[in-house]
Amino acid sequence: MLQLVTAVIQPRRLETVKDALKDAGVAGMTVTEARGFGRQGGHTETYRGAEYEVEFVPKVKIEILCGDEDADRIADAIVSAARSGEIGDGKIWVAPVSRAIRIRTGEVGTEAV
Amino acid sequence: MKRKLLTGGVLGAVLVVVMASPALAQEELAPASQFVLDNLWIFIAGVLVYFMQAGFALVEAGLTRSKNVSNIMMKNLMDMSAGVLAFALVGFGIAFGGGELLGGWFGFDIGIAGVEQTTGDGLLPSTFFFFQAAFAATAATIVSGAMAERTKFRSYFVYSFFITALIYPVVLRWTWGGGWLAQLEFPFSDFAGSTIVHATGGWAAMMGAIILGPRLGRYGKDGRPRAIPGHSIPFVVLGVMILFIGWFGFNPGSELAANVFVMQIALKTLLAATAGSVAAMILNWSLDGKPDVSIAANGLLAGLVAITAPVGAVETWAAPVIGAIGGLIVVFSVRLFDRLKVDDPVGAISVHAVAGTFGTLSIALFARYDDAFLGRENAGLFYGGGLDQLGTQLLFVIVHFIFVTTTAGALFLAIRATLGLRVSEEEELIGLDVMEHGSPGYGHDPGIPGTSSVGAESSDRLARS
Ligand SMILES: Nc1ncnc2c1ncn2[C@@H]1O[C@H](COP(=O)(O)OP(=O)(O)OP(=O)(O)O)[C@@H](O)[C@H]1O
Ligand SMILES: [Mg+2]
């Protein structure tokens, strides 16, 4: 079976996380610029003397498709590379994937990763 | 004198230049060379003033959102183009032509008859028109920033025709056209147009912003101002620096001749501009805890607008003082209009109308020299001139305020009643680029990150909630 590891991290941590994932031997990853909020729900900035809410904070979302046996190791690698100990460090979730296909070769399942 | 220049350091050099200039006046040029120099210099100064259009366009684009960038660029392109044509067709004749209506309060000469004349002396009529049309376009373009992100393009186009055809030319006729304000016992003074040009655009901008109402999401449900950050601070700073350069045509060119006063005016302009930006930055920094880039940029412009009227009449030391006060005023003024719910995304009202009015009044305090408008030396209160000039300057700015707010207000209300002034809510949320002009300013290329419409939509939702 396949798993999809999704992590939302601080943009400034992307390099470190990528290096950690390469060291962990991942075959590929997808990176998306994302915006969101967690428990603290954004923050306030000033512009030209008036305040405004930054309700959606810039984040980076990374997705890694991997085999069942690698999912925990990959999630742990992300946690240790992305943690600063401050609020907004991010979230990771893992979900089962029912089907994956490698487009060029038509391979499916773990072969496709 | 040369040795002093080399050894005296920067301040010494500045003093030598300022003090040396009257002496230079004695070396008179042959009339033909003077004629060529005058016309060539005013031509170049005019080109610098047209270059300010690029500055306005960039400042306004930078301080608004990317979904409206084509629209703001188009407004800048068209208020210049329509404005110059309207000025050629009607405005210039009203301002400087013969013919008198209502005891000289209005003129009725139409067109630019006579500009093809080639005299051998002074400014050619064509040089004068070229230079004056650049000023008309400046007055017109000030308004687009205050009305940005929510005005129908066609309505703005109609407005820009009328301000340069009718409103600005009447102000000109009363002042530089030699009209009643120039004929008072103590004539008005406004050397390069703090009030005549900048406050005309600025007060018209205020009427436009009031009649339009604020952008969606600009004020929260609790009524508190909520900033809508612009999309490019580099555009803002680049634009302000272009305006700064253009101002060395605007003020020194207003001498209307190549003479010894040109560099003195340039120097005073320089000191006022830089003092304005530093003063605005320090005040804004102490109020908000961080120095806001666009407020410092507004401060530079406020310093420039403030010194535009008094630049011929005041001593060099007074220029940075006037510029700095202009910079301080703009910081408070931006906040005030914010609180009054007059949504001016670029600070045009504060920079051009408020700092411009202050600059015009400052003559009554700081005037030392005869700037060719005052007709006497030491007209300022600080030089024993008493309150006579203050009376004239107050009359001037008050009559000007009433005239511009009334006529511009009537123009915008008439446009609202016929063409409509504001775009639909839907159009405002999607952005004016696509809805008014057919394509986005930055393209929709899925291969280029940041050009998808996803971000724009979510910031709309943000603005709306
Ligand atoms: N429940 C959620 N569902 C989906 N995405 C979430 C959720 N919570 C957080 N995120 C995403 O993760 C990003 C970072 O969240 P964040 O780290 O602030 O979570 P948090 O629970 O507030 O933790 P912390 O207290 O450490 O800040 C958010 O900006 C958002 O994109
Ligand atoms: Mg959080």
Side-chain angles (χ1 to χ4, degrees):
Chain A
M1 267 299 282
L2 288 172
Q3 302 286 332
L4 178 67
V5 180
T6 306
V8 178
I9 61 165
Q10 294 282 27
R12 62 176 180 271
R13 289 269 156 184
L14 180 61
E15 279 301 304
T16 340
V17 169
K18 178 209 70 189
D19 291 343
L21 288 171
K22 277 188 163 171
D23 290 345
V26 301
M29 68 190 282
T30 301
V31 178
T32 317
E33 285 179 24
R35 298 194 299 158
F37 65 84
R39 293 172 199 218
Q40 296 82 7
H43 55 94
T44 310
E45 296 278 4
T46 56
Y47 171 76
R48 298 177 61 77
E51 292 191 335
Y52 67 101
E53 287 292 313
V54 180
E55 283 172 286
F56 301 102
V57 183
K59 296 286 168 185
V60 162
K61 185 170 89 173
I62 57 187
E63 290 163 304
I64 301 123
L65 207 50
C66 61
D68 283 334
E69 66 286 357
D70 294 326
D72 286 345
R73 203 163 48 81
I74 287 174
D76 291 345
I78 298 174
V79 169
S80 52
R83 180 182 281 159
S84 73
E86 278 160 37
I87 58 164
D89 272 355
K91 293 256 153 102
I92 304 177
W93 55 91
V94 183
V97 171
S98 59
R99 198 163 137 81
I101 306 164
R102 187 178 181 192
I103 292 177
R104 177 167 61 85
T105 58
E107 291 160 295
V108 294
T110 40
E111 309 293 303
V113 175
Chain B
M1 201 144 283
K2 224 172 195 169
R3 219 185 58 217
K4 240 185 182 170
L5 262 177
L6 290 172
T7 56
V10 176
L11 194 65
V14 166
L15 291 174
V16 168
V17 170
V18 171
M19 284 158 28
S21 4
L24 280 175
Q26 287 153 10
E27 294 170 29
E28 302 235 318
L29 291 159
S33 329
Q34 187 63 48
F35 169 74
V36 171
L37 276 181
D38 285 347
N39 282 281
L40 190 58
W41 157 235
I42 299 309
F43 166 61
I44 292 167
V47 170
L48 286 169
V49 179
Y50 286 109
F51 190 41
M52 288 168 68
Q53 295 287 328
F56 279 111
L58 284 173
V59 170
E60 293 172 16
L63 286 172
T64 51
R65 287 165 292 179
S66 57
K67 64 182 178 179
N68 299 317
V69 73
S70 294
N71 178 258
I72 201 77
M73 285 288 172
M74 185 68 157
K75 282 174 178 156
N76 274 275
L77 186 62
M78 279 303 144
D79 60 31
M80 178 179 74
S81 302
V84 167
L85 291 175
F87 194 65
L89 210 59
V90 201
F92 186 73
I94 291 177
F96 300 108
E100 300 211 327
L101 276 181
L102 297 177
W105 279 55
F106 302 93
F108 56 82
D109 258 13
I110 301 296
I112 46 174
V115 290
E116 281 151 12
Q117 269 176 22
T118 48
T119 57
D121 178 42
L123 285 191
L124 289 166
S126 51
T127 310
F128 185 65
F129 175 80
F130 182 81
F131 192 66
Q132 286 297 333
F135 279 56
T138 307
T141 201
I142 288 165
V143 177
S144 55
M147 296 178 74
E149 305 202 277
R150 59 209 194 278
T151 310
K152 279 189 177 170
F153 176 69
R154 74 169 94 168
S155 309
Y156 185 79
F157 184 76
V158 170
Y159 141 81
S160 47
F161 188 86
F162 280 102
I163 192 172
T164 31
L166 298 173
I167 298 176
Y168 174 68
V170 171
V171 174
L172 275 181
R173 183 165 193 91
W174 293 351
T175 51
W176 294 338
W180 68 275
L181 278 162
Q183 292 163 20
L184 296 173
E185 188 194 349
F186 301 102
F188 87 102
S189 167
D190 184 356
F191 186 82
S194 289
T195 289
I196 296 169
V197 181
H198 292 279
T200 297
W203 294 130
M206 181 183 78
M207 294 315 288
I210 291 174
I211 291 168
L212 273 172
R215 289 167 292 170
L216 293 175
R218 183 64 175 80
Y219 293 90
K221 288 190 202 83
D222 52 2
R224 289 220 347 232
R226 297 176 46 190
I228 301 178
H231 87 284
S232 174
I233 290 299
F235 274 9
V236 175
V237 175
L238 182 59
V240 163
M241 287 177 172
I242 289 175
L243 285 164
F244 170 71
I245 290 171
W247 235 283
F248 294 110
F250 204 94
N251 285 1
S254 291
E255 180 66 18
L256 298 178
N259 62 25
V260 295
F261 298 113
V262 169
M263 269 322 294
Q264 294 180 16
I265 292 164
L267 182 62
K268 288 184 247 185
T269 302
L270 174 69
L271 296 175
T274 46
S277 88
V278 170
M281 181 193 71
I282 290 172
L283 177 60
N284 164 253
W285 198 340
S286 63
L287 290 173
D288 286 343
K290 288 179 187 173
D292 185 288
V293 181
S294 73
I295 290 288
N298 275 169
L300 188 99
L301 297 183
L304 286 164
V305 172
I307 200 62
T308 293
V311 71
V314 300
E315 291 185 282
T316 306
W317 67 265
V321 175
I322 291 167
I325 297 173
L328 300 178
I329 287 175
V330 96
V331 175
F332 290 120
S333 176
V334 164
R335 278 158 202 260
L336 177 70
F337 282 108
D338 235 25
R339 240 141 267 162
L340 294 174
K341 295 203 164 63
V342 179
D343 181 17
D344 174 3
V346 307
I349 308 167
S350 302
V351 166
H352 298 280
V354 180
T357 300
F358 159 70
T360 308
L361 294 176
S362 75
I363 294 173
L365 307 176
F366 292 95
R368 159 84 180 80
Y369 307 116
D370 176 12
D371 59 1
F373 290 96
L374 292 163
R376 62 204 164 110
E377 307 233 301
N378 300 319
L381 187 65
F382 298 161
Y383 295 90
L387 296 172
D388 295 332
Q389 198 58 37
L390 188 60
T392 294
Q393 298 302 100
L394 274 173
L395 177 72
F396 171 34
V397 299
I398 291 169
V399 170
H400 172 268
F401 172 82
I402 294 171
F403 175 74
V404 174
T405 51
T406 313
T407 50
L411 174 60
F412 287 126
L413 288 175
I415 292 174
R416 188 169 76 174
T418 48
L419 296 171
L421 195 57
R422 187 165 177 147
V423 299
S424 70
E425 187 167 316
E426 167 102 350
E427 180 168 346
E428 190 174 335
L429 290 176
I430 293 171
L432 276 66
D433 285 2
V434 177
M435 301 299 278
E436 294 269 281
H437 307 287
S439 58
Y442 293 116
H444 259 320
D445 189 338
I448 303 174
T451 61
S452 85
S453 57
V454 179
E457 276 160 23
S458 37
S459 61
D460 291 336
R461 252 178 265 127
L462 169 79
R464 203 171 188 178
S465 63

